[in-house]
């Protein structure tokens, strides 16, 4: 995903809303939000310059510890009377764990290293009766009795345990390599439940290889006797294993040439589902990434990821292992609707026609894999609590279909329950699903309505919409009694995320929070309270507490922002709906105004384009782009108007907005930027001839496409860590949008800036990190060579030898933004 990695985004925090209001006005106190369909402006506050100083690049690009260090990865204590969170240590890369009792008045207390194993249980698993919790700490297993709080250590450096979970009988199961074990926490007994090997089942005797061997075994008695002894020992060992319960069962023998992708054991311990894939035949070592600045003073060759142009199709095999009867069955995909549909036929035909060829539709089986959601931590294999039902979520390798299927355990077949097809691509978000705790009913997210909505479905019956509308639903939490599903949604405004719940029986939806910003949540273990992580446009995330009921009082838990941050005059942007020339939906954008913009002459402006493509930045919460927020405040102080648009492809606005760039990246987005420029000229007194643009990663790509394909739009641009040729980017992201270069070269060639470099007319700054493991430095090298060959002399390149995709060193941040600022000052 093309998003600038924010290694330093562990630092920005805020004090209370009351205190912050004195220095940075928040829109939350005065704005009432209307339904998302209503065009509206959310007002921010103009920049002001205090008499005693102003925002400086040196200050805002310094090590962000000066701002304060925000609480991260917050979770509940198991008795619901305290919360834990991680916080970066001042001046060090270490993340400390803090414990905050709900009644404490300060930020809580640092958990000591000596007791860390008793508290660091964020990823714990619970027993089915809810009385025990288990977790791993530094490779060791721990179990806790929740009624009395007693913690016991079950292992010390001797268990490699993955997929830790409780079985119905109270034992802990875990995976270790290609084996699954069960550990009895009462007596410490470990049982191997299953192991699988990718080879033919061993036999006592091999058949004679040829005539010579055959005759040897007939004629020579000692040879025949040795063979008879081996057969006797083999038969004895097999009978011993079958008849003696103290011995673990024999391995499952599966086809050679496969490797394990994922493993899921049923709660009753009777079934095991394996996802397998072919072992890679060879490793492509054709590319390296040189690292020039190293401790030994020598150049180091770092491994480089695979390009989308080099990716080969992957297919997962699903196998059902019956642990009671010791049988293994391959689960065929032939029962999935569309499993052999040629979904890219029209694309292949278009590309064939360009070459003067024709394409014949095929009906070959498609490659299908377990779906991997980029934002959900759950497994693509989900068992119902009793272990008698299981569901799997699959996707086609071509990205056009998602199937939710159950497994008929008796007949050992897949049964499709829901097929989600998208002519563009299946979203890599909004794929969470599961079973109700007390019935064989599925719940899941789907974009089938055009937005990510919530559905329930009894297998074999039609799905029912539980929460639906023109908004996005995510982050589901099912209560233990199946009464409610809690969720996060932007129902009232595309940029406002609140917490809701819906009754499974009543179908009634309740809005629980009303904080008007970006709000995330965790439901307490007693299911009575919400731990909230909330932020606003100019206020970084802090922790809050609220009872799990509508309209309940909200209590602030943490106060961590620095006075130095509070004392600076940050500009709070408006969030405005810019009318679109191409869709009925407006384009939501942040606008930073300088003081008295309505009274002055025509202004200069900067258009910032966020990274990732599929990212929402014009919401009303704190942005991942905190350096840019501060930079935009500085620009506003210097008389610039700054716009930050959620162009088509951005997240938060539904499926059609997301997929508008299918097979033509860089066209809809730049068209939207033009609408933004027109809005600035008409509404913010901006001079059309004094507008520049910049952005990083996907935003850098859009800087290229703007300057190369619509050169009249901006007077200058800065492209940071930009993509120049999508064929050189990764498979997981790019193939969704552009298919693959061997199938759809048309899409790659009309979406890659390197093919349009001759269009450059205005000054261009390229800022390129040299050890970028995401967007390779070679992208910049190839584009610069192309510009040289085109005799372009209106570009400059700045290199950052020690930085990867997300900058870390404050000196690099400062140098990069000094160059951007100088570009705009010189050209605008």
């Amino acid at each position: 995903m093309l998003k600038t990695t924010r290694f330093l985004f562990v630092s920005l925090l805020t004090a209370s809303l009351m205190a912050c209001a004195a220095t940075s006005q928040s829109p939350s106190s005065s704005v009432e939000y209307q339904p998302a369909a209503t065009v509206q402006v959310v007002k921010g506050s103009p920049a002001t310059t205090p008499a005693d100083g102003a925002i400086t690049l040196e200050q805002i690009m310094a090590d962000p510890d000066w701002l304060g260090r925000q609480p991260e990865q917050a979770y509940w204590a198991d008795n619901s009377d305290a919360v834990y969170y991680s916080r970066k240590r001042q001046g060090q890369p270490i993340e400390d764990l803090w414990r905050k009792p709900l009644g404490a008045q300060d930020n809580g207390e640092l958990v000591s290293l000596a007791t860390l194993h008793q508290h660091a249980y964020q990823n714990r698993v619970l027993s089915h009766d809810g009385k025990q919790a288990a977790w791993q700490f530094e490779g060791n297993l721990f179990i806790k009795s929740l009624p009395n709080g007693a913690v016991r250590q079950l292992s010390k450096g001797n268990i490699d345990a993955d997929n830790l979970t409780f079985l119905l009988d109270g034992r802990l199961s875990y995976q270790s390599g290609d084996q699954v074990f069960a550990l009895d926490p009462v007596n410490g007994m470990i049982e191997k439940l299953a192991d699988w090997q990718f080879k033919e089942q061993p036999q006592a005797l091999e058949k004679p290889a040829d005539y010579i061997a055959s005759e040897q075994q007939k004629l020579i008695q000692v040879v025949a006797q040795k063979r008879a002894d081996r057969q006797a020992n083999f038969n004895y060992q097999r009978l011993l294993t079958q008849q003696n319960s103290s011995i673990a069962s024999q391995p499952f023998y599966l086809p050679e040439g496969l490797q394990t992708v994922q493993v899921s054991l049923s709660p009753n311990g009777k079934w095991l589902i394996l996802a397998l894939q072919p072992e890679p035949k060879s490793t492509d070592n054709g590319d390296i990434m040189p690292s020039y600045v190293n401790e030994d003073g020598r150049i180091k060759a770092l491994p480089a990821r695979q390009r989308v142009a080099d990716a080969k199709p992957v297919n997962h095999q699903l196998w059902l292992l019956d642990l009671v009867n010791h049988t293994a069955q391959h689960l065929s995909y032939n029962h999935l609707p569309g499993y052999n549909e040629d979904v890219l036929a029209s694309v292949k035909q278009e590309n064939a026609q360009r070459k003067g060829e024709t394409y014949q539709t095929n009906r070959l089986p498609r490659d299908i894999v377990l779906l991997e959601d980029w934002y959900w931590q759950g497994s693509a294999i989900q068992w119902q609590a009793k272990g008698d039902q299981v569901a799997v979520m699959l996707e086609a390798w071509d990205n056009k279909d998602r199937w939710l299927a159950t497994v008929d355990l008796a007949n050992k077949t897949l049964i499709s329950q829901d097929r989600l097809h998208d002519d563009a691509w299946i979203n890599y978000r909004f794929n969470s699903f599961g079973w109700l705790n007390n019935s064989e009913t599925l719940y899941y997210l789907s974009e089938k309505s055009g937005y990510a909505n919530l559905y329930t479905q009894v297998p074999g019956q039609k799905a029912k919409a539980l929460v639906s509308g023109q908004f996005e639903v995510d982050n589901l939490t099912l209560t233990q009694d199946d009464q409610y599903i809690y969720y996060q949604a932007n129902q009232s405004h595309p940029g406002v995320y609140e917490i809701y719940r819906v009754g499974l029986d009543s179908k009634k939806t309740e809005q629980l929070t009303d904080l008007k910003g970006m709000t995330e949540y965790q439901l307490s273990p007693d299911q009575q309270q919400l731990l909230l992580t909330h932020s606003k446009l100019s206020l970084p995330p802090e922790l809050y507490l609220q009872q799990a009921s509508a309209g309940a009082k909200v209590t602030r838990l943490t106060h961590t922002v620095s006075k130095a941050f509070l004392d600076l005059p940050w500009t709070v942007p408006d969030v405005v709906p810019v009318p679109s020339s191409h869709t009925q939906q407006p384009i939501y954008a942040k606008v930073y105004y300088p003081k008295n913009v309505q009274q002055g002459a025509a202004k200069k402006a900067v258009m910032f384009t966020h990274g990732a493509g599929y990212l929402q930045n014009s919401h009303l919460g704190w942005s991942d782009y905190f350096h840019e927020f501060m930079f935009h405040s500085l620009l506003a102080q210097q008389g610039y108007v700054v716009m930050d648009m959620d162009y088509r492809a951005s997240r938060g606005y539904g499926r059609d907005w997301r997929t508008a760039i299918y097979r033509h990246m860089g066209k809809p987005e730049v068209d939207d930027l033009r609408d933004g420029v027109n809005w600035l000229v008409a509404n913010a007194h901006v001079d059309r001839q004094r507008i520049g643009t910049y952005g990083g990663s996907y935003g850098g790509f859009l800087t290229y496409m703007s300057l190369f394909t619509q050169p009249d739009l901006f007077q200058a641009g800065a492209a940071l860590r930009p993509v120049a040729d999508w064929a050189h980017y990764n498979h997981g992201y790019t193939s969704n949008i552009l298919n693959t270069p061997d199938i759809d070269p048309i899409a790659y060639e009309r979406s890659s800036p390197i093919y349009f470099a001759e269009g450059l007319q205005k000054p261009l700054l390229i800022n390129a990190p040299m050890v970028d493991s995401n967007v390779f430095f070679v992208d910049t090298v190839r584009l610069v060579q192309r510009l040289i060959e085109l005799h372009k002399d209106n570009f400059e390149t700045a290199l950052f030898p020690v930085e990867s995709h997300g900058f870390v060193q404050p000196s690099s941040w400062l140098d990069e933004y000094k160059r951007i600022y100088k570009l705009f000052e010189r050209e605008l």
Side-chain angles (χ1 to χ4, degrees), residues 52-110:
D52 58 348
I55 301 170
T56 66
L57 277 173
E58 288 74 14
Q59 179 71 64
I60 65 180
M61 298 300 164
D63 186 325
D65 277 3
W66 73 272
L67 300 135
R69 289 105 55 221
Q70 71 174 18
E72 293 188 304
Q73 301 175 355
Y75 60 97
W76 281 98
D78 47 36
N79 57 6
S80 302
D81 67 350
V83 298
Y84 293 95
Y85 62 91
S86 296
R87 191 181 183 196
K88 182 180 177 296
R89 188 179 296 181
Q90 179 77 33
Q92 298 184 31
I94 297 169
E95 296 280 339
D96 289 314
L97 183 65
W98 289 71
R99 183 178 185 274
K100 162 76 176 183
L102 298 186
Q105 298 301 309
D106 56 14
N107 288 323
E109 58 186 7
L110 184 68

Side-chain angles (χ1 to χ4, degrees), residues 466-527:
L466 189 61
V467 178
S468 61
Q470 294 185 4
F471 51 86
E472 309 279 40
V473 175
D474 205 0
N475 300 326
L476 308 179
T477 302
L478 174 68
T479 57
Q480 296 164 1
D481 59 5
D482 288 348
Q483 185 177 2
Y484 296 108
I485 292 179
Y486 288 76
Y487 62 93
Q488 178 197 48
N490 59 346
Q491 185 169 341
S492 63
H493 180 284
V496 175
Y497 286 81
E498 303 288 0
I499 309 307
Y500 301 78
R501 70 181 180 189
V502 59
L504 270 298
D505 293 329
S506 68
K507 309 299 187 292
K508 178 184 177 183
T509 295
E510 298 177 85
Q511 180 177 334
L512 302 180
T513 64
D514 190 24
L515 298 177
K516 296 183 173 66
M518 178 65 70
T519 305
E520 299 176 348
Y521 79 101
Q522 284 199 26
L523 186 63
S524 61
D526 64 10
Q527 308 206 321

Side-chain angles (χ1 to χ4, degrees), residues 254-265:
L254 302 175
E256 294 183 62
L258 299 176
Q259 64 183 16
T260 304
V261 177
Q262 192 167 328
V263 177
S264 185
L265 177 68

Side-chain angles (χ1 to χ4, degrees), residues 163 174-180 193-198 251-255 258-266 271-277 315-323 327-333 368-370 379-381 383 390 392 394 407 409 414:
N163 293 330
Y174 60 90
Q175 175 192 354
S176 181
D178 290 341
Q179 302 177 96
V180 171
L193 298 179
D195 73 295
W196 53 98
Q197 301 176 17
F198 302 109
F252 290 88
Y253 295 98
L254 302 175
L258 299 176
Q259 64 183 16
T260 304
V261 177
Q262 192 167 328
V263 177
S264 185
L265 177 68
S266 64
W271 306 93
L272 189 68
I273 290 183
L274 304 179
L276 312 175
Q277 69 180 15
N315 187 72
H316 291 170
Q317 293 185 18
L318 290 187
W319 285 77
L320 178 65
L321 274 54
D322 183 339
L323 304 188
T327 60
Q329 177 64 49
H330 175 230
L331 299 175
S332 172
Y333 296 140
I368 295 173
V369 298
L370 285 180
S379 169
I381 306 172
W383 290 92
V390 63
V392 296
L394 303 162
V407 179
L409 298 175
L414 285 174

Side-chain angles (χ1 to χ4, degrees), residues 382 384 388-392 404-408 415-418 434-436 439-444 456-464:
Q382 293 285 324
Q384 207 277 337
D388 297 325
Q389 280 272 30
V390 63
V392 296
L404 180 58
T406 53
V407 179
D408 183 335
I415 302 175
S416 178
Q417 301 298 336
D418 181 78
W435 296 88
L436 299 188
S439 70
E440 294 184 351
T441 301
L442 290 161
Y443 66 92
Y444 58 90
T456 59
Q457 183 174 354
V458 176
Q461 300 181 19
K462 187 177 180 180
K464 299 178 180 179

Side-chain angles (χ1 to χ4, degrees), residues 87 97 177 212 313 337 361 363 405 461 525 551-552 595 607 616 633 639 642 704 730:
R87 191 181 183 196
L97 183 65
I212 296 295
T361 301
R363 301 290 292 180
Q461 300 181 19
K595 188 177 181 181
M607 178 74 73
Q616 186 177 13
S633 291
V642 182
Y704 280 161
N730 68 35

